[in-house]
Amino acid sequence: MFNLADEGVIYARVSTPGQVRDGNGISSQISACQNFAKQNGIKVIKIFKDPGKSGGSLNRPSLKELISFLKKRDRLTYVIVYQLERLTRDKKDYYPLKELLAINKGMAVDIKGIINHNEDDPFAGFLEHSMVGHADLWRRVNRINVIENQTERLKEGHWVFPAPIGYIFRNSSLEIDQANAKLVKNILEDFAAGKYSTYQEIIYSDDAKLLINPRTSKPYRLKDDTIKRLLTNKLYIGKVEYKPWGIEETDGFHKPIIDERIFNKIRSRLKKKGKKKHSNISPEEFPLKGDLICGSCKSRLVYSKSKGRSKKYPYYRCNSNNEKCSSGPKNIRTEVIHKQFVKLLKQTAIKPQILKLADRVLEDVYRDRLDQLTGMQHSRDQRIKELIKRREQLIKKVIFTEN
């Protein structure tokens, strides 16, 4: 079978981030595949690795890259894997994936020879099918075991899912991330005190901008859903709860960031906040929302209404504290900013004489292009006439020769 091509690629995968951190799996798979390729005279031209990616899903970056790579090649390429289940552990995905590789001139092979390409050998086909089923079975059994173990740990008060902002995992235990915990505490306490009225105000606050993801060392990309989870997460008061699995609130082994009094104030404010918090703010009242930046601290201006004696008045305002931004006033009436914006638009408006000149330039370009296209059309018409005339002459010659 290995005389069909002389080049191949290696695909390696491990399922868990723990395997990646400990160095288990990927390097040994690649080494074994390289030895296999050398023994069978196959030149390895590229290696694809999917660390920490489940075999129960085909949504893997390097697997997609592998298929794109095969599409660009004009010859058969071996796809070498350590074991059949490195491709996938889901039985419903195995044969479609194998066929997808074949369509793109890729032939999947494993170093133990389980993957079968001989349809005339029923025993080899049965062995392959059995190993596919075996991989799928253990994927499902392992998933059940993981859920059972995680459920027991949750009941004991250990958080088993990704750490929320302000916490990190050390030795499988949830611990406070000192760099972010203080900022999270400030955000939660400020919301409880009424400093913020919308999720967007929190997102553009000074404290939120300083939150750094410890995994990437980059700022978090905060969204409304992120802020909602942050405001309602009982982990911040030292509790563990996971209702999808029937885990009721219990004391956690981790330390809290805020006390229950602050959390209850937040919950009370969220109930009053209601679903119609933004319904009174129309685009007509704040057409520049999200597009205005403070000239001093460069933070994005927020928008809201302030209650007067007889009605509410719309304002844009800088929400930065005085330590970061000393400019004033903090609140600016919308009509003041809108008038300045209209004035700016008038200043940047194109003068009529410039528009007239542009029209003439475009008209000249159009005419030159039209003349060029007309000339090309005339040349083609002449050529067609010459070819028709030439064809008629050849037909006459053929008829004369036959006669």
Side-chain angles (χ1 to χ4, degrees):
M1 181 177 71
F2 299 111
N3 58 359
L4 300 176
D6 55 4
E7 293 182 335
V9 298
I10 293 174
Y11 176 77
R13 176 190 64 80
V14 292
S15 300
T16 65
Q19 290 175 295
V20 179
R21 289 193 301 269
D22 299 338
N24 297 331
I26 286 281
S27 58
S28 59
Q29 288 179 38
I30 293 174
S31 177
C33 290
Q34 287 174 329
N35 290 333
F36 174 83
K38 185 177 180 180
Q39 292 170 6
N40 290 279
I42 302 171
K43 179 183 177 183
V44 176
I45 56 176
K46 198 170 179 64
I47 297 175
F48 298 89
K49 297 182 287 186
D50 267 324
K53 299 298 179 181
S54 170
S57 170
L58 296 182
N59 187 20
R60 293 173 247 150
S62 289
L63 180 60
K64 294 178 180 179
E65 185 184 348
L66 165 61
I67 294 171
S68 298
F69 176 80
L70 294 175
K71 286 181 179 179
K72 297 175 183 177
R73 286 178 59 80
D74 58 357
R75 65 179 70 177
L76 181 66
T77 307
Y78 292 118
V79 179
I80 307 170
V81 293
Y82 179 67
Q83 292 174 321
L84 170 149
E85 56 262 33
R86 295 304 95 197
L87 287 175
T88 178
R89 282 185 174 272
D90 194 327
K91 62 183 179 183
K92 74 176 185 299
D93 290 335
Y94 176 75
Y95 290 106
L97 176 58
K98 183 180 174 183
E99 182 65 21
L100 179 62
L101 294 175
I103 290 173
N104 292 288
K105 300 178 291 297
M107 178 179 284
V109 295
D110 64 300
I111 67 173
K112 298 183 179 180
I114 302 298
I115 299 177
N116 177 47
H117 295 281
N118 184 4
E119 295 184 359
D120 296 330
D121 188 342
F123 294 102
F126 175 77
L127 177 60
E128 178 185 30
H129 195 65
S130 299
M131 295 304 296
V132 171
H134 180 270
D136 184 82
L137 170 64
W138 282 108
R139 176 182 68 86
R140 295 171 183 270
V141 170
N142 184 61
R143 177 59 181 160
I144 292 172
N145 292 335
V146 168
I147 291 176
E148 289 178 351
N149 292 335
Q150 288 179 330
T151 300
E152 291 304 316
R153 283 186 60 78
L154 285 169
K155 289 179 179 179
E156 294 171 357
H158 297 281
W159 189 245
V160 298
F161 302 113
I165 302 174
Y167 287 99
I168 55 176
F169 274 108
R170 284 197 182 97
N171 299 322
S172 301
S173 296
L174 197 63
E175 296 186 10
I176 288 180
D177 176 10
Q178 298 297 337
N180 287 326
K182 184 178 179 180
L183 299 170
V184 170
K185 184 178 181 181
N186 291 342
I187 292 171
L188 296 175
E189 289 179 345
D190 288 343
F191 184 85
K195 180 178 179 180
Y196 307 117
S197 57
T198 67
Y199 297 151
Q200 287 293 308
E201 289 180 19
I202 297 177
I203 291 173
Y204 294 119
S205 67
D206 296 338
D207 290 319
K209 290 177 182 177
L210 294 174
L211 291 170
I212 301 298
N213 189 329
R215 294 177 59 189
T216 63
S217 299
K218 296 180 180 179
Y220 281 99
R221 299 179 64 180
L222 301 175
K223 298 180 180 179
D224 285 359
D225 287 343
T226 313
I227 300 302
K228 183 178 180 180
R229 288 194 299 271
L230 187 144
L231 295 173
T232 58
N233 197 335
K234 291 185 178 181
L235 288 172
Y236 294 122
I237 58 172
K239 304 292 184 180
V240 170
E241 180 183 76
Y242 193 65
K243 291 184 177 180
W245 289 2
I247 308 298
E248 300 297 332
E249 181 183 307
T250 185
D251 291 335
F253 277 84
H254 63 284
K255 294 181 179 180
I257 291 178
I258 60 171
D259 57 43
E260 291 191 41
R261 178 180 57 85
I262 297 296
F263 186 79
N264 290 333
K265 282 187 177 181
I266 293 173
R267 187 155 54 181
S268 177
R269 283 210 65 210
L270 289 174
K271 287 181 179 179
K272 293 179 181 179
K273 185 173 181 290
K275 295 183 178 179
K276 296 185 178 179
K277 185 65 183 181
H278 304 288
S279 61
N280 294 329
I281 298 179
S282 64
E284 291 76 15
E285 292 178 292
F286 298 93
L288 300 177
K289 62 181 182 180
D291 297 320
L292 298 177
I293 295 176
C294 176
S296 298
C297 66
K298 307 303 179 185
S299 63
R300 200 180 300 269
L301 299 186
V302 298
Y303 50 92
S304 63
K305 291 183 178 180
S306 297
K307 189 174 182 180
R309 292 182 179 179
S310 58
K311 63 177 183 178
K312 291 184 177 181
Y313 297 92
Y315 286 89
Y316 293 104
R317 74 173 186 275
C318 175
N319 213 30
S320 299
N321 56 41
N322 291 329
E323 294 180 0
K324 182 179 179 182
C325 181
S326 59
S327 66
K330 291 291 186 180
N331 294 341
I332 307 175
R333 290 282 298 271
T334 55
E335 60 186 39
V336 174
I337 290 185
H338 293 169
K339 286 180 180 178
Q340 293 179 356
F341 184 70
V342 171
K343 183 179 178 180
L344 179 64
L345 288 178
K346 290 180 179 179
Q347 292 174 348
T348 57
I350 301 176
K351 296 180 180 180
Q353 55 267 36
I354 299 297
L355 290 175
K356 291 181 180 179
L357 178 61
D359 284 341
R360 288 198 293 269
V361 171
L362 289 173
E363 187 176 356
D364 290 342
V365 172
Y366 170 76
R367 286 177 177 173
D368 289 343
R369 183 61 176 161
L370 181 61
D371 291 342
Q372 182 181 3
L373 292 173
T374 302
M376 292 171 62
Q377 182 65 42
H378 179 71
S379 298
R380 283 197 294 267
D381 291 343
Q382 287 295 111
R383 179 59 176 161
I384 290 172
K385 290 180 181 179
E386 292 174 1
L387 290 173
I388 292 173
K389 184 177 180 181
R390 176 64 175 160
R391 184 187 64 181
E392 292 175 350
Q393 291 174 348
L394 290 172
I395 290 173
K396 289 180 179 179
K397 286 184 178 181
V398 170
I399 294 173
F400 178 77
T401 302
E402 288 179 350
N403 292 337

